[in-house]
Amino acid sequence: MKYIKYISMLMVALAMSFMATSCNDETREMEVVDRLFRPVNIVVSASGTTVSATWAAIEGATGYTAELYVREKVEVESEGETTDYENKVLVARDEQVITNSWSVSGLDYDTQYYFRVKANGATEIRNSHFSDFESIKTPAETQVLKVVIDDPKAGNVTFNWMAGYDLSYIRLTGPDGSETNYPINDGDGSFAITKLGAGQYKAVAGNSEKEFNTVSFLIPVLYDVIAEEITFDSVTIRWAPDGNISTLELVNAVTKEEKSYPANINGVLEIPAAELGYFQTWQATLIYADGSLSNTVTFTTLDQMPEGVITVSTAEELKSAIETAANGAIIALNPGEYHMQSPDDSGNLQYVGITLSKSVTLMAATGSMPLVMAKQFNIVAATELELIRMEGIEFAGYDEHDSGATDTYLFNLDAGSAACLKRLEIENCKIHGISNSLIRADRNKAYTVLNILINNNLMWNMNGKQAYISTYNATDGTPAESITFTNNTITGLSCKSGNQRPFGWLASSSIVVNISNNTFYDCQNGTANFFHARGSVDGGWGTVTIKGNIIYSKPADAEKKPNKAPEFGSGATPVIENNVLPFPWGSYNSTTGVLTTDDWSAYGTITADPGFVDAANLDFTPTNETVINAAAGDPRWLK
């Protein structure tokens, strides 16, 4: 009992002692730290060898501490053994990031990096905790430098590289192994080199510390066959001399026939035209000793030159040949310009017409198109001429080089001589600067052109006043037989005055007309019909086909309204189909410009805008799928 009592007294004494101590000491409070929130909404990106990061701004932060790590292998020794494991190693650190964004450059490509950030407070104890790690991988090395061959024939190339890379030079290794350093400004993002010779090149970009990827490219050693060197006698093929080239191989694009020729070290080979065939398309490729191939180029041989051809090189030679050559002569013009001029009363040179009093063919002597600049061709003959033909010629008319010219034609049948031409052919030509019509034959005179073929030509600046093609014949004249107008592109056919009709003639019951697969651009006059058959002595209209043409106009232009639909007399049975117009055409109110009648709709017209690639620069390739699928227009533009 005494023992229990003693213990109880002892516990009471201890309790009283603790209470006394508590009462005597000062009261203490627990300290609470006001720490900033750690950054969130972190976005990390990589461009080239630069890593960038952004995050949501933290209220009260005086700045931020940003860190970037890479995972590397670390060796750790423990109890005499070495252990390898991957650990994050600090690559970059910035304790004074002012804004909520940061970037670091000069890193390695194709590498995984890890980013984290914390907000800094007024005192270190107020700093936030670090955010979680965000990972990002820099692009692979192969994305740094790229090359584009802008013009393989001229040897022009452009190098481009990704932003963020520190580049100071491009080192170019040529086909002969020589090296050239080009200093560059990496801020530009591109660098051009011109006039490189043919052969294989390697380029590498870098700076004082490292080089990036290497790109290889070929400046073709086989150049396009020069048009002037495709003649009736031979075809000359040239390439950059290279001792490693063993064979020139030709493959016929149609028949697939193969021909091989030893490739001489001089880089030039002349092949007789008779070996290749006339009007044949060939693909040429150079073969190296190791079996590798160069680029391929394509060329087409000329038609076989007939016997007795007269070849000319100057305007005087052309004039003399036309005047003195026998009836039916073929005159071949070498490449160049032929200015047909004569002095006026004051001694000033003026462009004059070319008089044709006999059947004649004017053609290009080579694959290069010669340019003839004259007022017009005047057909003067008291008897019938068999044939006038133009092939592969560029003709610049009077309206193009003399202001104020009026009433000029490409071919004008002289009324005073009652000329009659049995056949006129214009093929593969360029024609521009005509102030009136392509062909003029007065319906009130007893003469005409019996047969016309106009095919595969380009025409522009054709400012006709009347019908584009007039083939009228009078009551005592010989009825016209045929007109074929196919695969032509015509732009700028606009009326200077009067009612222009692109096609018009006095028809006969036996005439055959075919206007097909042409592209007409900016060719219109709303007061006249696109096609006008005036009538005939016997009351007939013949056979007329207007098919697969693109007829483009701009109805918003008050000065150039689109032509109305073709016009025929009673009893006509024309075939008019598959023509493409950008919008309904018909009669327009001259005051309001509003379409009052859509007189093309009866012919099943396809209403669609072709969407030409670059009409201003004579590229009339359609982009509208509806037009492409219709296969309308000049087929040369349908790629």
Side-chain angles (χ1 to χ4, degrees), residues 435-503:
S435 67
N436 206 315
S437 304
L438 265 182
I439 306 165
R440 176 182 179 271
D442 194 326
R443 67 177 181 273
N444 298 315
K445 304 295 180 179
Y447 63 92
T448 189
V449 181
L450 300 187
N451 298 280
I452 296 175
L453 170 66
I454 301 176
N455 176 63
N456 211 49
N457 303 285
L458 296 176
M459 310 179 200
W460 64 93
N461 191 18
M462 309 292 289
N463 298 305
K465 291 205 310 178
Q466 300 170 8
Y468 194 33
I469 299 179
S470 302
T471 59
Y472 297 116
N473 58 272
T475 57
D476 57 347
T478 305
E481 297 173 359
S482 69
I483 298 175
T484 301
F485 192 92
T486 53
N487 304 350
N488 301 287
T489 293
I490 307 98
T491 179
L493 172 59
S494 55
C495 182
K496 281 188 172 182
S497 63
N499 292 337
Q500 176 203 35
R501 299 175 178 91
F503 298 94

Side-chain angles (χ1 to χ4, degrees), residues 198-245:
Q200 191 73 38
Y201 288 83
K202 292 191 300 182
V204 61
N207 54 39
S208 58
E209 296 181 356
K210 64 172 62 177
E211 290 187 343
F212 300 95
N213 62 297
T214 299
V215 293
S216 298
F217 60 95
L218 173 70
I219 298 298
V221 295
L222 180 62
Y223 295 130
D224 288 335
V225 179
I226 302 171
E228 286 85 345
E229 296 185 333
I230 302 176
T231 70
F232 293 97
D233 299 322
S234 64
V235 174
T236 302
I237 301 175
R238 299 178 184 275
W239 61 91
D242 189 331
N244 295 318
I245 298 173

